[in-house]
């Protein structure tokens, strides 16, 4: 079930009914200024695009199968309007975009084998964000605690140097300018990382949590 809430009034209502459009699993989501909502289908291997005004389904795609081979986990939307999805179980980054006729299309945009990102047991790529300049994606690998920069033009992958710091159990990401907030889920921590040098290096500035 996808809920819609108003932070001013506190009102929450069902936006997309449970299981609609075959959506039996929902993970990371991202809404953009073009009134679109992108949803990751987790173990189903599905990816969805909805209209945030009407709730209409604009696109539905399959990465090629369901559990245990796929786990569509998180999504980032670039300034160009393309959406990039991480898969925690299979070494791919997927892209959903609009073609010249305005139709939504899907592709396995990046095969990460031999890219420098080594997939292991457990959850691999998870949180993903796009840099404000539209040049890079930043992704976190949950099981290794590593951050990577992916060049959207060349598709080259660079590990972001963090010194001795680790971001193990890294999950959701939020990028504001060159400041990256990393959720370390099982550790109940949020880590602030100051990025530099075209997002190729970073330094942990603070780590914080909440008593709750």
């Amino acid at each position: 079930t996808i809920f819609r809430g108003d932070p001013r009034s506190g009102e929450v209502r069902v936006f997309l009914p449970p299981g609609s459009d075959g959506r039996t699993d929902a993970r990371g989501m991202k809404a953009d200024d073009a009134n679109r909502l992108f949803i990751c289908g987790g173990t189903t291997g599905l990816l969805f695009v909805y209209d945030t005004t009407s709730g209409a389904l604009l696109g539905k795609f399959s990465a090629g199968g369901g559990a245990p081979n796929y786990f569509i986990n998180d999504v980032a939307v670039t300034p160009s309007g393309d959406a990039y999805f991480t898969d925690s179980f299979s070494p791919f980054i997927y892209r959903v975009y609009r073609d010249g006729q305005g139709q939504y299309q899907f592709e396995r945009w990046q095969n990460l084998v031999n890219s420098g990102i080594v997939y292991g047991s457990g959850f691999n790529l998870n949180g993903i964000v796009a840099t404000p300049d539209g040049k890079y994606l930043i992704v976190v690998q949950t099981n290794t605690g590593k951050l990577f920069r992916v060049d959207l033009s060349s598709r080259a992958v660079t590990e972001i140097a963090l010194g001795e710091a680790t971001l193990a159990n890294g999950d959701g990401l939020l990028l504001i300018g060159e400041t990256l907030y990393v959720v370390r889920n099982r550790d109940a921590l949020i880590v602030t990382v100051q990025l530099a040098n075209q997002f190729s290096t970073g330094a942990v500035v603070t780590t914080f949590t909440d008593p709750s």
Side-chain angles (χ1 to χ4, degrees):
T1 309
I2 307 301
F3 295 89
R4 184 170 193 154
D6 186 332
R8 296 161 296 184
S9 67
E11 177 188 4
V12 177
R13 63 181 176 84
V14 173
F15 178 59
L16 300 173
S20 56
D21 306 307
R23 194 190 60 257
T24 57
D25 192 352
R27 305 289 170 157
M29 304 189 298
K30 197 66 85 300
D32 69 3
D33 293 335
N35 299 318
R36 301 176 303 174
L37 174 65
F38 298 88
I39 301 176
C40 302
T43 56
T44 64
L46 298 175
L47 309 83
F48 302 87
V49 189
Y50 287 93
D51 185 306
T52 58
T53 301
S54 66
L57 179 68
L58 302 177
K60 174 183 176 182
F61 305 96
S62 174
N69 301 315
Y70 299 89
F71 196 105
I72 315 303
N73 204 330
D74 202 8
V75 54
V77 184
T78 65
S80 68
D82 294 351
Y84 293 84
F85 297 74
T86 57
D87 189 326
S88 296
F89 290 171
S90 292
F92 296 101
I93 295 176
Y94 309 110
R95 179 172 76 122
V96 171
Y97 63 99
R98 296 180 73 176
D99 61 20
Q101 289 70 50
Q103 300 300 309
Y104 286 94
Q105 303 292 340
F106 164 85
E107 69 169 339
R108 288 186 173 187
W109 179 76
Q110 171 74 304
N111 186 329
L112 297 171
V113 174
N114 299 321
S115 70
I117 300 177
V118 180
Y119 267 53
S121 60
F123 281 80
N124 291 271
L125 289 196
N126 195 332
I128 182 171
V129 289
T131 59
D133 58 13
K135 292 183 178 180
Y136 306 105
L137 300 171
I138 295 174
V139 293
V140 65
Q141 190 172 15
T142 299
N143 49 4
T144 66
K146 294 180 178 181
L147 273 182
F148 296 92
R149 185 194 74 179
V150 183
D151 190 305
L152 282 166
S153 178
S154 68
R155 309 192 189 192
V157 174
T158 303
E159 183 176 348
I160 298 174
L162 297 174
E164 299 299 319
T166 178
L167 299 172
N169 298 317
D171 197 333
L173 302 180
L174 173 65
L175 180 65
I176 301 177
E178 293 185 331
T179 302
L180 180 70
Y181 297 90
V182 182
V183 174
R184 292 181 60 187
N185 53 27
R186 295 184 182 180
D187 302 294
L189 296 173
I190 297 176
V191 181
T192 307
V193 179
Q194 189 61 47
L195 299 170
N197 302 316
Q198 290 293 302
F199 306 98
S200 64
T201 63
V204 172
V205 179
T206 59
T207 299
F208 59 96
T209 188
D210 183 89
S212 65

